[in-house]
Amino acid sequence: MGASPLVLGIETSCDETSAAVLRGTSELLGHRILTQDVHEVYGGVVPELASRAHLRVIDDVVDSALAEAGKALGELDAVGATAGPGLIGALLVGLTWAKAVAYALGKPLVAVHHMEAHLFAASIDEPAAQPPFVALLVSGGHTMLLWVPEWGRYELLGETRDDAAGEAFDKVAKILGLGYPGGPVIQRIAPEGDPKAYHFPRPMLTRDQRPGDPDYYDFSFSGLKTSVLNRVRHLEAEGRLAGEVPNLAASFQAAVVGVLVAKTMRAVEETGCRRVLIGGGVAASRPLRTAMAEALGADGQLYYPAPRLATDNGAMIARAALFHLERGAPDDLAHLDVSARPDMPFPGLVRRC
Ligand code: KG4
Ligand code: ZN
């Protein structure tokens, strides 16, 4: 293997079919992301439809990424694929494809943890996005606050007790009749409304919480969603809902962003590290990035991926695979034992007691 390995990354954990060809840590030679639109009419991802759609396009998505890179399968040094967490049928498509190719080529297969990959996304375009940092991972399935002293060592400070941040965006968008996925549509409509029009609760955020309290770093978004729903029912009964949708969207977005920033800043204060990295689909949120940068101030550093690398993509999978490859990847064909795991444990994660 040369100094800079050529890695193929495959992502099929949810509703994006994606493949990337990455040379070393940051040379993205080819990248394809196909977002499935079959789910739009259901207001959420339908697992069986997702698996079938992945299966239909996986060959073409990988071929197309390789073509863009001007590379052939035989030139790859390793293959990385998301093994979990995610939808079992969807994961199986990408991982099985990767296994077959790695086996045929006699090259290592790296089973990648989807959330660890989100941590690496920002570093592809921004080489300075390296630990130590406080990391906020916010996606459709997870909300985690981490202290990351170095790659491969992740201390879990807090996580959601119920809905993930992205899930809250998706559910509230559905309640407001705005479609799926919720984050981008709420971001689009919010500037037409007043974020102070409704005061929605900032769940699990009170001034009297102290470090060590069980809810100091944890999140909860389910009550906030219910609060929006109740307000919507009232407005509907009064026949005033239509005109209030922008105000509701803006006020809801402000509540989520407020909680995410406040909890992250607690970790910044406690660790004394003013370097923050955000990752996951919700990291594409402009209001979140702006509010976080403001809270950190001029002496802080905020790292976030470009929107295309924030939501699910194969590039971050290739980047995370490279990390594990360089740390000591499987050098034989034992990777045939690798299996898709919807509940895959986060490698290197320790829960703070
Ligand atoms: O990481 P991701 O692509 O998939 C999962 O791993 O779940 O995250 C998808 C989530 C969705 O819930 C979507 O609504 C949210 O990211 N999202 C956003 C924005 N763009 C995507 N949330 C808020 N603001 C955005 N601009
Ligand atoms: Zn994701």
Side-chain angles (χ1 to χ4, degrees):
M1 196 182 297
S4 289
L6 192 67
V7 178
L8 172 69
I10 296 178
E11 157 64 35
T12 64
S13 68
C14 192
D15 60 343
E16 267 88 23
T17 315
S18 180
V21 180
L22 185 69
R23 162 82 69 198
T25 56
S26 53
E27 238 184 294
L28 194 50
L29 303 179
H31 197 194
R32 285 285 178 265
I33 306 170
L34 215 66
T35 300
Q36 305 174 351
D37 55 14
V38 293
H39 311 289
E40 262 163 36
V41 286
Y42 304 100
V45 177
V46 183
E48 182 53 26
L49 295 181
S51 320
R52 293 183 202 187
H54 285 306
L55 202 52
R56 219 167 23 242
V57 298
I58 183 78
D59 284 336
D60 293 341
V61 167
V62 179
D63 281 353
S64 166
L66 284 165
E68 190 193 359
K71 299 290 174 193
L73 276 178
E75 294 176 74
L76 298 171
D77 294 304
V79 183
T82 309
L87 304 168
I88 180 69
L91 289 167
L92 267 171
V93 174
L95 187 69
T96 308
W97 202 100
K99 252 160 114 165
V101 168
Y103 182 69
L105 295 174
K107 293 289 161 64
L109 168 75
V110 184
V112 173
H113 188 279
H114 183 83
M115 296 313 291
E116 187 187 24
H118 273 304
L119 277 179
F120 280 99
S123 72
I124 295 172
D125 285 339
E126 175 48 84
Q130 304 290 331
F133 49 63
V134 169
L136 176 71
L137 285 182
V138 270
S139 72
H142 294 81
T143 304
M144 308 170 96
L145 189 60
L146 305 166
W147 165 239
V148 183
E150 61 183 26
W151 291 123
R153 275 183 59 200
Y154 311 112
E155 191 176 323
L156 182 66
L157 303 176
E159 61 189 329
T160 185
R161 303 263 181 97
D162 40 56
D163 292 352
E167 189 179 0
F169 273 100
D170 296 337
K171 288 180 174 170
V172 165
K174 193 172 182 180
I175 291 168
L176 297 178
L178 294 173
Y180 176 87
V185 269
I186 287 180
Q187 172 172 313
R188 205 175 318 127
I189 196 171
E192 296 165 29
D194 174 6
K196 294 202 171 79
Y198 297 96
H199 188 78
F200 290 125
R202 268 63 172 164
M204 295 230 170
L205 188 67
T206 58
R207 282 184 197 287
D208 59 350
Q209 291 163 331
R210 296 283 169 265
D213 288 358
D215 47 6
Y216 189 68
Y217 288 125
D218 274 354
F219 304 88
S220 161
F221 293 108
S222 153
L224 172 57
K225 168 199 65 193
T226 309
S227 178
V228 176
L229 181 61
N230 289 338
R231 183 60 70 164
V232 163
R233 288 198 175 129
H234 264 100
L235 290 164
E236 223 165 17
E238 294 168 3
R240 297 199 294 128
L241 179 59
E244 286 301 305
V245 168
N247 281 338
L248 291 163
S251 303
F252 162 76
Q253 183 177 253
V256 176
V257 167
V259 171
L260 294 176
V261 171
K263 298 258 169 174
T264 305
M265 289 310 292
R266 285 180 173 180
V268 166
E269 299 309 332
E270 194 185 341
T271 59
C273 176
R274 301 194 73 80
R275 295 161 53 79
V276 170
L277 176 135
I278 51 180
V282 184
S285 163
R286 217 175 312 116
L288 174 63
R289 289 189 242 142
T290 309
M292 194 73 86
E294 237 165 62
L296 271 168
D299 60 338
Q301 265 302 334
L302 177 66
Y303 299 108
Y304 51 82
R308 193 173 151 78
L309 295 178
T311 48
D312 290 350
N313 67 85
M316 68 180 193
I317 305 303
R319 178 63 189 85
L322 175 70
F323 167 71
H324 287 286
L325 191 70
E326 291 186 329
R327 253 193 153 190
D331 56 0
D332 51 22
L333 298 178
H335 54 256
L336 283 182
D337 296 335
V338 169
S339 51
R341 297 184 60 184
D343 59 348
M344 180 179 185
F346 199 129
L349 186 83
V350 290
R351 200 169 281 271
R352 185 193 283 197
C353 29

